[in-house]
Amino acid sequence: MKTKAAILFSKNNVKIINVELPLPEQNQILVKNLYSSICHTQLGEYSMKRGKDRYLPHCMGHEGVGKVISVGSNVKKIKKKDYIVMSWIKGDGHQTGGTKYFSKKFGKINAGPVNTFSNYSLVSENRVYKIKKINNLKKLTLMGCAIPTAFNAVFESLKVKKNSTMVIAGMGGLGIACLYASIYSGCKKIICLDINNKKLVNIEKLKNVQTICNKNKDLSKLLKKQIKNVDYTIDCTGNLKVVEELLSVTKFLGGKCLIIGNPEPNKKIILDPWQFILGKSILG
């Protein structure tokens, strides 16, 4: 079948073209895409800030919501007409590698095991999750990336304890999801940082939440003035200078600093080893 798809050909070069989809393989699902999100990881992919891309040209998108059109012979957990969330996070079911679409003008087009920037997609069985209650499908796109990443970070990587203190830098979809995970974990104080004040307006009224806008301001001075010795810090910005500053306000003897944001490849930071000797840890 034919579909329109957004294809990345080179740095900052996406074209919407017609492609031909093969029939689903035995472990694949044909999906009609209803909504797709875009996260900062994909913006980095678009601008080639993640290093050399070996799969050009390829279809983009790794999170979305769709309706199942047909399934391969081995697919068990999903059936035709189901509504699903698509995610880069592996779940139950069979794993397929990428697939190839075809364009008469451009030839073979690569597509990963999940791809959502098209009207229709072929997706691996283990990258989809059935939607049980069809309420707000658009909002459920956040279940494809931001929400599972954030809740895993807070509950599994950091193992946040009740009545602890938290700083989150970068209040996009991932930062907001980390905020709600932190509230759910029982943090007594959560400080949210962003250079865009519009992202802070809707959360500053939440209980136990403090917001700081650091646009055109020295973040290091702001942190030292307003924040001292917090239990946990999370970076959702990918800015390595921010990581260094978050680590500086993470408490000694058990404090943890977590990196989720994607820094540019080959960028380095210099850290004082005494930060770790005195009991801090940094993790991803």
Side-chain angles (χ1 to χ4, degrees), residues 12-51:
N12 299 338
N13 179 21
V14 169
K15 292 184 174 71
I16 297 176
I17 64 172
N18 289 312
V19 296
E20 187 79 26
L21 273 63
L23 293 172
E25 295 179 5
Q26 59 184 3
N27 299 319
Q28 286 183 323
I29 298 167
L30 176 63
V31 181
K32 180 179 180 180
N33 294 311
L34 303 177
Y35 298 100
S36 179
S37 293
I38 180 168
C39 72
H40 207 84
T41 301
Q42 291 160 78
L43 295 177
E45 186 178 8
Y46 167 76
S47 57
M48 298 293 177
K49 290 184 177 179
R50 305 192 69 200

Side-chain angles (χ1 to χ4, degrees), residues 1-9 13-22 30-31 33 36 57-61 99-112 114-122:
M1 67 175 296
K2 291 182 179 179
T3 186
K4 287 188 179 295
I7 307 301
L8 181 67
F9 283 89
N13 179 21
V14 169
K15 292 184 174 71
I16 297 176
I17 64 172
N18 289 312
V19 296
E20 187 79 26
L21 273 63
L30 176 63
V31 181
N33 294 311
S36 179
H58 65 75
C59 189
M60 295 187 69
T99 188
K100 293 190 184 298
Y101 301 159
F102 182 78
S103 162
K104 288 184 178 180
K105 183 175 180 179
F106 299 103
K108 290 181 180 179
I109 305 292
N110 289 311
V114 57
N115 52 98
T116 61
F117 287 4
S118 54
N119 296 120
Y120 293 86
S121 298
L122 284 173

